[in-house]
Every structure is written in C-alpha cells, then in structure tokens.
Amino acid sequence: MAIDWQQLAEKYRKDYIADLTTLVGIDSSRDDSKATDDYPLGPGPAKALIAFLGLAERDGFMTKNLDNLAGYVEYGEGDETLAILGHADVMPAGKGWHTDPFTLTAKDGNLYGRGTSDDKGPALAAYYGLKMLKDQGILPKIKIRFIIGTDEESDWTGMNHYLDLEPAPTLGFSPDAEFPLINGEKGNVTFTSTFTGTNGNDLVLREFDAGLRENMVPRDAEATVKNGDNAQLTADFDKFLTDAPVTGDVTTAADGLHFHVIGKAAHGMEPKNGINAGTYLATFLAAQNFGGDAADFLDLLASKLHDDSRANKLGIAYTDKVMGDLTMNVGIMTFTADKGGLINTNFRYPTGTGAADIKAGLAKATADMNVTLKQGREMVPHYVDPADPIVATLMDVYRQQTGDTTAQPEVVGGGTYGRLMKRGVAFGALFPGTQDTMHQADEFQPEADLLKAMAIYGQAIFELTK
C-alpha cells in the first residue's frame, strides 16, 4: 500500500491542534498534596489521562483506565503486542514564561505550552499516527497498545501500576525523546543528603530554596539571611552578580536580607544546558561567615557540586565509549534553620559504574559533615543492539521521511518508558537542529515538526505491524 504519510498527516493538522489545545490546557504536574482516592497523584495527571482516553473513545478505539494511574488504547488482535508508551504528566511550569504555560499559543510557526515538547505534543502525534491507520482501514497483524502513564516525570507510579495489572510489553517505542532514535539510555539514580538545621555563628541562614524536581536544572534560588552587615552583604552580592552568569536581586525585610538568583532551567539529563541558580547562590553565601550545618550545606554545594556536571570534584567522573559520560544534576536544595536541609543530586551513568561508586564519592565528600545519605530509586543502563529489527525498521522510516540517510541511533542520559521493554527504544519527536526546551520556561515545538513526526509515526506503526 503506497501512502503519502506527510500528505495524509497534513489533513489532520486542524484536529491535532484542537486536541493538543485541550491537553495543554490541563496542568498535569503531579501534586501529592492534592491526592485523593480518585486522584492518587493529584487531579492534574488523572484529568489529562481521562482527556487522552476520551479522544480515543471519540475516535472509536477500545480504551481502559487503570485507576487513574495509567491507561491504554488498543487496536488490532494477536498474541504479540507492539507497545507505544507516552505520558500525560508534565513538569511544574515554574517561572519565566512569556505566555500562559497552560494555553496553547501559536507564534512564529511554533506551538508554546507546557507539554508541547515533553510529552503531550509527541505522544499525541504518535496517537494520530495510530488513528491514521484506523481511518485508512488498515488492520495490523499484531495487537497495538498505546499506553499512557501519569508520572513519568517523577517515580513512574502509574506505569508500575500498569505492569502490576497487565502483561509487560517486550517490543515498542516511546515518543518521548528525540529523532533519529534512542537505542540506549544511561542508568539513573538519585541521592539525597540531609542536614540538621544548626547555625553556629551570629550570621543565620534562615531559609534556602532552589529547584522543583530532581531532573530539572533550577532556574530560581532564594535565601534569607539574618544578623549580618546588610550593607556589606548587599555590596558583595551586587559584585557577585556582575561576575556570574546569573541575574538577581537582594531586598531588606524585617526577617533579614532576601536574596534571589535567576539562572536557566534545563532537562537534568544534561545539566550543562542550564545555569543552576541554586549552586550559584550557594557559592556566594559559602564565602560568608556561617557556621554549623548551614556552613556544611553551603560548602557541599559550593565546593563539591557547583558547576561540575561530570562529578570530577566527587572523584566519580566516568566515561564509557558507547554510552558516554556520567552526569550529575543538583536538582533540589532546601534549608531552614528549624527543620534542617537537603540536597538532591540526580546521576545519569553509563555501563561500567553505578550507584555504589556514586555513593562512595558522596560519602567521602561529606565525611566530616553531619550528613545522612539516602539512595532513591535506581534504573540500570538500557541498550538495544542497533542490528535489532525494531531499530532497523524505525531508522529506515526516519530516513525515508526526512531524507537524512546518514542518521544513526544514539545513547542519551534521559530516561523514557522505552527502557521498560527488552526491545524498547525512544523515537522522536525532537528533530536534530530544533531547540530543546523540555523542562524549561517557554517550552515549544515547531508545528511543522509535530506534523512531520505524525507522518513518521504513522508509517512506523504500519511497518512494524504489517
């Protein structure tokens, strides 16, 4: 069957944008403070899942909602299943937007809004790829499941719930990364260093706060300092801002000086793409006369973690010739004088190293501090041989649709649902050369790219199931 997939995708442009408008309009960031029996991760993720499944029901697909934690759309029959795994949740919007993050906004050929790039825009493009097959009357020779998770940006509670209730998929792709294709994902582990809240000197760190999620470079950092020489601290901070690649301000209030630093948010898989406001503020404050746990908290950030995405200062830098560098993101930093503090560090590591080596480096760096280290969830490295038919087929489709005959599969630090499958990969939808705004303010995806991705997904699903 000869199908012009790009021409066919163009016919769905208006409907696709209308549906994306609906999905982007839902703030689907996880919020455990609003969790209920009906909304176990807060209302946003569940409402986005329900909306996604509603689109499929409208289009005549069979759907199933698994307790508002995950769901799927099914098409075709057979003992073998091709899985397409996307997610309906998003990162918190954060600050710095020039448009409403939950209103799809078209400007200069781009579609702005939280989720347009990660992952509502790409997931919806993949869904429309499946819809194109159905609308063309094409019956796959194997079952297709389009699976939707609700907290890919945190601890994968939704997809774990899916795996508790349904057979684990072994073959498929996740439209949650970039083209041409991701056949390898680094390991992923987070460590939290916790401190008590003592201040040993007259200078008091009352509060320090930076970061929204472990897999996001913090754009904003704030701190409140009391009992210092306000005039001198203000002058020193102004000079600091002159020399550092950040902006900010300092104001005087009854409870002390309030410092604010603005950096640049980025996806935590490559911290070099961002400017960490939290560690920059810590470098300024660490030079002041703090004591106790406040001094240790600031010193760890400034001397061992700041501006060191490859963890050289921790002594755990590592590079694999296939999977690349170990990377470190300092995602969350908080401290209060009465409750203590924590530093959340997220590591993406290649084959050849792992959580034990990372923990040893952190333990050595904090050996003289009153610090407790706790390891979070770990995902080991994932790799699918480039010779595997799923890689070969998807790469062939990409090359046909783009004309890029030299494109090769890649290994990245990001973690996608693709790693849940033995023969699972990540496939699109960010094209080479397109600015990566995932996890950032003013997130966008070019409209033309999303339509091209839809065509690629349509042909890819067809080729994998014919």
Side-chain angles (χ1 to χ4, degrees):
M1 176 180 291
I3 298 176
D4 186 330
W5 294 98
Q6 294 193 34
Q7 185 180 66
L8 183 59
E10 181 62 35
K11 295 180 180 179
Y12 289 90
R13 178 189 294 265
K14 183 177 179 180
D15 291 341
Y16 171 83
I17 292 175
D19 288 343
L20 185 58
T21 298
T22 297
L23 295 175
V24 169
I26 301 168
D27 178 356
S28 54
S29 56
R30 178 172 176 168
D31 187 350
D32 290 339
S33 70
K34 298 179 180 178
T36 66
D37 290 343
D38 290 334
Y39 300 139
L41 304 176
K47 289 181 178 179
L49 171 65
I50 292 167
F52 227 128
L53 296 176
L55 301 179
E57 291 166 3
R58 174 201 66 192
D59 295 333
F61 286 103
M62 189 281 284
T63 70
K64 188 171 184 179
N65 184 332
L66 303 174
D67 306 309
N68 279 345
L69 284 168
Y72 62 86
V73 179
E74 191 169 279
Y75 183 55
E77 298 179 349
D79 295 332
E80 187 178 4
T81 299
L82 172 73
I84 305 162
L85 292 84
H87 64 91
D89 61 304
V90 295
M91 294 294 287
K95 300 177 181 178
W97 287 75
H98 294 89
T99 63
D100 180 350
F102 303 110
T103 299
L104 188 69
T105 303
K107 182 181 179 182
D108 299 327
N110 298 319
L111 297 176
Y112 289 84
R114 185 52 103 207
T116 51
S117 186
D118 183 17
D119 181 40
K120 292 175 179 177
L124 187 65
Y127 166 74
Y128 263 81
L130 177 61
K131 174 176 164 58
M132 287 195 291
L133 265 67
K134 181 176 181 296
D135 290 350
Q136 291 293 305
I138 300 172
L139 292 176
K141 293 185 178 179
I142 65 174
K143 184 189 299 180
I144 302 171
R145 273 199 179 178
F146 184 89
I147 306 169
I148 307 159
T150 53
D151 68 333
E152 191 273 346
E153 302 293 7
S154 49
D155 63 6
W156 295 20
T157 301
M159 197 54 66
N160 289 334
H161 186 65
Y162 176 91
L163 294 174
D164 286 342
L165 300 176
E166 299 288 336
T170 58
L171 170 74
F173 67 86
S174 176
D176 186 25
E178 57 194 51
F179 288 123
L181 181 142
I182 306 301
N183 69 314
E185 298 182 8
K186 296 177 186 178
N188 189 327
V189 66
T190 296
F191 284 89
T192 301
S193 306
T194 58
F195 302 74
T196 55
T198 64
N199 277 269
N201 296 328
D202 291 338
L203 189 62
V204 176
L205 181 63
R206 293 178 61 89
E207 292 184 348
F208 188 106
D209 184 68
L212 297 171
R213 293 284 176 86
E214 64 187 45
N215 57 345
M216 185 177 184
V217 177
R219 173 189 181 271
D220 293 271
E222 297 179 340
T224 303
V225 175
K226 190 171 178 62
N227 296 334
D229 182 339
N230 288 357
Q232 186 62 53
L233 282 172
T234 298
D236 291 347
F237 186 66
D238 288 341
K239 183 179 185 304
F240 166 78
L241 292 178
T242 300
D243 299 333
V246 294
T247 59
D249 59 79
V250 56
T251 57
T252 303
D255 60 347
L257 286 178
H258 288 220
F259 296 93
H260 180 209
V261 167
I262 302 172
K264 179 186 176 185
H267 196 300
M269 70 176 178
E270 183 43 274
K272 290 197 298 185
N273 291 337
I275 300 173
N276 195 315
T279 63
Y280 267 97
L281 179 54
T283 62
F284 168 73
L285 294 176
Q288 312 308 318
N289 189 30
F290 290 97
D293 296 310
D296 287 344
F297 171 83
L298 295 171
D299 181 63
L300 179 59
L301 287 170
S303 67
K304 297 296 185 181
L305 305 180
H306 172 62
D307 197 24
D308 188 19
S309 66
R310 269 50 186 174
N312 289 286
K313 298 171 190 174
L314 292 176
I316 57 173
Y318 188 87
T319 301
D320 175 76
K321 65 180 181 179
V322 174
M323 303 197 82
D325 296 342
L326 175 149
T327 64
M328 174 185 68
N329 181 54
V330 189
I332 301 173
M333 297 148 269
T334 64
F335 187 93
T336 60
D338 56 343
K339 296 181 180 179
L342 68 83
I343 298 172
N344 181 285
T345 43
N346 177 246
F347 298 86
R348 313 295 174 101
Y349 64 89
T351 299
T353 187
D357 295 323
I358 295 168
K359 185 176 183 179
L362 284 167
K364 183 177 180 180
T366 59
D368 296 329
M369 302 177 183
N370 184 22
V371 172
T372 300
L373 291 177
K374 182 179 180 181
Q375 179 180 330
R377 178 184 60 133
E378 180 181 16
M379 294 185 288
V380 299
H382 171 75
Y383 188 75
V384 180
D385 193 305
D388 190 289
I390 190 169
V391 177
T393 299
L394 294 177
M395 285 300 304
D396 185 56
V397 170
Y398 174 81
R399 290 166 180 150
Q400 288 181 44
Q401 290 293 327
T402 64
D404 182 1
T405 58
T406 63
Q408 297 295 327
E410 303 171 352
V411 175
V412 299
T416 74
Y417 288 152
R419 72 191 307 144
L420 292 172
M421 299 169 284
K422 184 177 180 180
R423 298 174 61 209
V425 299
F427 189 48
L430 188 71
F431 283 92
T434 297
Q435 182 181 350
D436 181 357
T437 57
M438 298 181 193
H439 297 194
Q440 300 178 38
D442 294 335
E443 178 183 350
F444 75 87
Q445 189 85 315
E447 184 176 323
D449 282 8
L450 290 167
L451 268 290
K452 186 184 293 185
M454 186 193 303
I456 291 172
Y457 290 137
Q459 183 183 0
I461 298 168
F462 172 72
E463 297 291 346
L464 290 169
T465 60
K466 67 180 182 180

